[in-house]
Amino acid sequence: MADAVSTYHVVTEVEEPKNEWPAWLLGKKFTLPHDEEKLQDRIRSRLWFSYRKHFRAIGSSGLTSDTGWGCTMRCGQMLLAEALVRHHLPDWQWKEGCAGDNVSYNWLLKQFLDLPDSVYSIQQIAQFGVDYGKKVGDWFGPNNMCQVMKKLAAYDPWSNLAVHVAMDLTVIKDEIRQAAYTPLPQVGGAFTRLPPGP
């Protein structure tokens, strides 16, 4: 009978919830509820890419949607877009009606349009994946996406971005330094840049 007896703790004091608590977004700390509006502005300022349909077909594949296979590609686009925003627009925050005024922001967005001539488009990513044994419409693993981003970055002289991919869970500082300080190869003519927006 003694084994069947359970014990419980009687709470005699109720701890009041804290008035403030921390929230972190991409390495930046916000104290809630005081910084809630700043946190929401920061979230709205992130570039979000998700599945799409009815874009121009990717090469001769006929595919006009990345639903079911483009998730890692879209995550890679968001990762790269965040790096480019931090590099070119470090203090930029999206505000209602202000996006059209920033030439660098508009240029950056155009690089991710789902158009064959946009450097970081789903079309370019899928076609560069062929070099890694992927057919257009195949799902990419994280390493495939990183390797493709590394290749595509060489076609984007405006960003002047070197992408380093650590292999086998090993980070080698000298390789990162070499990638950071070696001039990027000049790969020209592969993309037709989009005309400036209206």
Side-chain angles (χ1 to χ4, degrees), residues 64-170:
T64 59
S65 172
D66 61 328
T67 302
W69 56 271
C71 56
T72 307
M73 295 177 195
R74 297 303 185 176
C75 288
Q77 284 179 314
M78 288 188 285
L79 177 69
L80 189 56
E82 179 66 22
L84 293 174
V85 167
R86 288 183 183 203
H87 180 62
H88 292 291
L89 307 160
D91 298 320
W92 185 82
Q93 288 280 116
W94 185 88
K95 295 285 185 196
E96 188 72 37
C98 77
D101 297 335
N102 190 308
V103 175
S104 293
Y105 178 76
N106 289 329
W107 179 259
L108 194 149
L109 283 180
K110 288 178 182 180
Q111 305 317 301
F112 291 92
L113 291 176
D114 288 336
L115 296 171
D117 292 338
S118 295
V119 177
Y120 303 114
S121 68
I122 194 78
Q123 289 92 340
Q124 293 297 339
I125 293 168
Q127 289 180 328
F128 270 70
V130 172
D131 292 345
Y132 299 98
K134 297 292 183 178
K135 291 182 278 185
V136 174
D138 282 355
W139 177 83
F140 278 28
N143 183 57
N144 298 121
M145 186 60 211
C146 291
Q147 296 296 343
V148 168
M149 284 192 301
K150 180 178 180 176
K151 274 189 142 178
L152 287 173
Y155 290 89
D156 182 10
W158 176 78
S159 294
N160 193 29
L161 182 71
V163 175
H164 174 72
V165 181
M167 299 299 293
D168 300 321
L169 303 174
T170 305

Side-chain angles (χ1 to χ4, degrees), residues 25-36:
L25 177 66
L26 298 170
K28 184 164 176 54
K29 181 180 179 182
F30 298 88
T31 303
L32 298 178
H34 174 56
D35 293 333
E36 186 170 350

